[in-house]
Amino acid sequence: MTAEELRPEASKEPASQPIADEVKGEAPSADAAQAPAARPRAAGRAPAGPPPGQQAPPTADAVKLEAIFKEILGEQAMKVEYNFGELVLTVLPEQILEVCRIGRTDPRLDFNYLRSLSGVDYVTHFEVVYHLYSLDKLHKITLKTRISHEEPEVDSVISVWSGADWHERELAEMFDINVKGHPNLVPLLLDEGVDEHPLLKSHPLVPMGEDRPGVITDLGESDWMGYRASGGKE
Amino acid sequence: MALDRLQTVDMTINMGPQHPSTHGVFRMVLRVDGERILDCEPYIGYLHRGFEKLSENENYHTVLIHLDRTDYLAGFCNEMAYIIALEKLLGVVPSERAEYIRVIMCELNRIASHMMFYGALGADAGALTPFLYAFRERERLQGLFEAVSGARMMFFYFRAGGVRIDLPDGFIRECRRVLDAVKFGIDECDKLLTNNEVFISRTKGIGAISAAAAIDYGCSGPILRACGVKEDVRRSEPYSIYDRLDFDIPVAYSGDTYDRYVVRMEEMRQSIRIVEQCLDQIPDGPFMGKVPRFIRPEPGEVYVRTENPRGDYGIYLISRGGDYPYRVKLRSPCFCNLMALREMLKDCYIADSVMVLGSLDIVLGEVDR
Amino acid sequence: MLGLIKGMIITWKSNWRKPVTVQYPDESLPLAPGYFGFPGLIYDHEVDEPFCVGCQVCARYCPTDAIFVTMKDNPKFKEGTSKRRKIVDSFELNISRCISCNICVEVCNFDAIEMTDTFEAAGYHPDVVAGIPALIEMSEKQRKGVLARPLKETR
Ligand code: SF4
Ligand code: SF4
């Protein structure tokens, strides 16, 4: 298994690219940077130097965790990044449940607290992000897995942390991701029977300044002060 | 006819969606055996406004006006989390004075929010007097918020690199005066409920949750601290200037409704301590650091957690360049605390369910986002 | 018995205390100095026209689309009495939509708009619109210090 497999969009790149290069060259593609709803002037200037997230050196905890994960999973199985000095691991979707279980049960890792579970739609692929924390050891890690739009499926981690329950239900309804093994995958926040997945980037969002349904934009002839002076009788 | 051939069946009853004591539009379906709750299924989403989707179409600062409206009782604390995330992405360092102003406002906000909790819990227990006492104290603090930020609830006050406007003249003196009054007020509130026999029998041992279960469900804040876990983001991962301040983390051990109440009462006193230290130390200087003219963070992502009055408040902010955030995810403490409600309500009586829910201090605007 | 007497004394005392309740529509509590009501347009008394040039920046940034602005050529510029080439033609603030967030004030490049103390917007009409005269009046009222008060008088 190679790191290229981790990225569904990586097929364009030469297969022989080493992992280290790939980690460095993580610049977003120009088309993906534009959200469908973003206005055209959103194009930014050329960045000067590495972004702040990459500048910080890895913390001691992060280096230690990386070594432990490498020992358990092997070198090839994951992509390692550092973001603000913290460890970010990207693993294959088939592995995520296993990695989570190891993280929870291994006494050296002991990630007993699921801080947050979020989905991100990167147009080319989905990313499911697990922010884990250990209340006893006070270290943290970001686990990521990438799934394609064609096969949006991820394993449920509800057997590892009960707290994943509602997060996963939200993930399923907002991104149309099938969370395998979740006992009760009914919509949480949206209306029952609504067949929309709002957080997908393809979901339309009417930009500011345009007519939205149900909003009065024709202001008519009313004058506020005159109306108030008349005591609201007009 | 022999009595032992009579069968009892579990009954399913519905509470809400607008039960007067459920702190917002919330509905739970209870499976009961007589008066005893066997299972509970909370239903949320009645206040869902699509905060996360909306913020993808706002520029980096206007996201704040939505954040104020998620947890409307703790606007400053919400803004704090988001602004720290934004500053990290921008690589901006806020000015020293602004950091102090932020912490002062957050801690005052914490007191105001816990006061609301105190009043609401009293009302849930059937005592209306605490509500009025709590609101008297809260009103004093609201006056301060109004003077500083110009609004009573929807503040929109923090900015990347600092705050919108400096503290008004005479704020420090006025704040000390208010703090003295609030300190007295907290003691008064304490006298009213803490040792009240009826209140104790309504709360002690009700809705208890074990530390292991609370951690498993991702509970945070006073709920977790009431189970004996000494976890406070201000201590375990100090943000802003909290590492320079001296305060204690109150912990209780039985994890029931009463302990959650006691922890919050003590937290208010600690917040006053923090604000007093800040008022002593606050430096003069600019209220705004050096910020670029256009807020356009470079591509990157950051997860920031802060200690909200309700718990561990997380913001996951992703930028891919441009004027708009690519994704804003809000990890709301109430959302996770509410998940544990099912665990807490097992074997409670129906009448207690309202108390247990009150002790979670949920704000539905934040749960549903 | 002692408690009863104590209670009676408190009741007796509060009989003679001044009520703290304020009869709201007739009298109101003082507002804090930085209070934000709705935005108002600042008037340039030297040239006798508003500062606003109708550039629509505020309308674009307003999160609730409460502002509608149009621009026109300034007749006073031709006469030579004003330095503004363009001037606001119509400025409509939908009072029922404004959330008093201060964004329009922050983004204005001409410092032509400010937050005023006016905050009462209740009415029967669904969309209540303030035009230029109303907005200038709101700003002028504050300028005269009618409502601005120092901090120590608040509550
Ligand atoms: S108020 Fe300011 S930003 Fe708005 S149209 Fe006038 S000049 Fe432009
Ligand atoms: S205060 Fe905010 S909502 Fe009101 S007009 Fe200005 S920008 Fe729009």
Side-chain angles (χ1 to χ4, degrees), chain B residues 13 67 72 75-76 103 131 142 147 156 164 168-169 177 208 214 216 250-251 273 280 311 314 328 342 353 358 367:
Chain B
I13 60 165
L67 272 173
Y72 36 78
F76 282 122
V103 169
F131 195 75
Q142 293 282 23
F156 192 51
R164 192 184 64 228
D169 295 342
R177 197 182 65 74
D216 196 29
V251 181
R273 257 178 81 189
D280 289 339
V328 184
R342 175 181 250 162
S353 67
V367 174

Side-chain angles (χ1 to χ4, degrees), chain C residues 40-42 51-60 67-71 88 90-91 104-114:
Chain C
L41 289 177
I42 306 177
F51 276 104
C52 175
V53 298
C55 65
Q56 301 193 344
V57 168
C58 52
R60 206 160 60 222
I67 302 179
F68 177 75
V69 199
T70 51
M71 173 194 269
V88 56
S90 74
F91 192 112
C104 46
V105 179
E106 273 173 48
V107 297
C108 181
N109 294 319
F110 299 89
D111 289 342
I113 191 166
E114 68 174 355

Side-chain angles (χ1 to χ4, degrees), chain C residues 13-40:
Chain C
K13 266 192 195 158
S14 39
N15 257 343
W16 306 109
R17 214 173 51 197
K18 254 178 76 184
V20 287
T21 319
V22 174
Q23 301 297 331
Y24 165 59
D26 303 327
E27 42 180 327
S28 59
L29 286 171
L31 291 169
Y35 184 77
F36 285 174
F38 298 117

Side-chain angles (χ1 to χ4, degrees), chain C:
Chain C
M1 186 66 198
L2 198 68
L4 187 70
I5 293 173
K6 261 191 197 166
M8 287 311 287
I9 290 174
I10 289 176
T11 316
W12 184 249
K13 266 192 195 158
S14 39
N15 257 343
W16 306 109
R17 214 173 51 197
K18 254 178 76 184
V20 287
T21 319
V22 174
Q23 301 297 331
Y24 165 59
D26 303 327
E27 42 180 327
S28 59
L29 286 171
L31 291 169
Y35 184 77
F36 285 174
F38 298 117
L41 289 177
I42 306 177
Y43 202 68
D44 189 352
H45 284 282
E46 284 174 20
V47 203
D48 207 19
E49 66 187 14
F51 276 104
C52 175
V53 298
C55 65
Q56 301 193 344
V57 168
C58 52
R60 206 160 60 222
Y61 276 90
C62 173
T64 58
D65 293 352
I67 302 179
F68 177 75
V69 199
T70 51
M71 173 194 269
K72 68 174 177 197
D73 285 336
N74 191 359
K76 284 193 185 141
F77 180 73
K78 268 193 211 119
E79 295 165 18
T81 46
S82 163
K83 285 208 273 306
R84 286 182 195 89
R85 199 178 286 268
K86 302 275 183 187
I87 195 78
V88 56
D89 183 22
S90 74
F91 192 112
E92 288 176 341
L93 175 70
N94 193 338
I95 294 284
S96 62
R97 302 199 62 194
C98 175
I99 55 172
S100 305
C101 67
N102 194 42
I103 288 176
C104 46
V105 179
E106 273 173 48
V107 297
C108 181
N109 294 319
F110 299 89
D111 289 342
I113 191 166
E114 68 174 355
M115 297 311 270
T116 66
D117 280 340
T118 313
F119 65 95
E120 290 150 312
Y124 298 103
H125 202 274
D127 47 13
V128 192
V129 174
I132 295 181
L135 291 171
I136 290 175
E137 190 187 321
M138 276 151 69
S139 161
E140 290 292 300
K141 202 163 80 180
Q142 187 177 21
R143 205 133 294 244
K144 292 194 201 98
V146 181
L147 283 162
R149 290 174 181 87
L151 178 67
K152 60 179 185 309
E153 283 179 32
T154 60
R155 273 174 282 272

Side-chain angles (χ1 to χ4, degrees), chain B residues 117-142:
Chain B
F117 158 80
Y118 170 85
L121 190 69
D124 284 345
L128 213 56
T129 321
F131 195 75
L132 302 175
Y133 275 74
F135 263 61
R136 188 188 59 190
E137 305 309 324
R138 191 163 172 267
E139 192 56 38
R140 296 188 219 273
L141 297 164
Q142 293 282 23

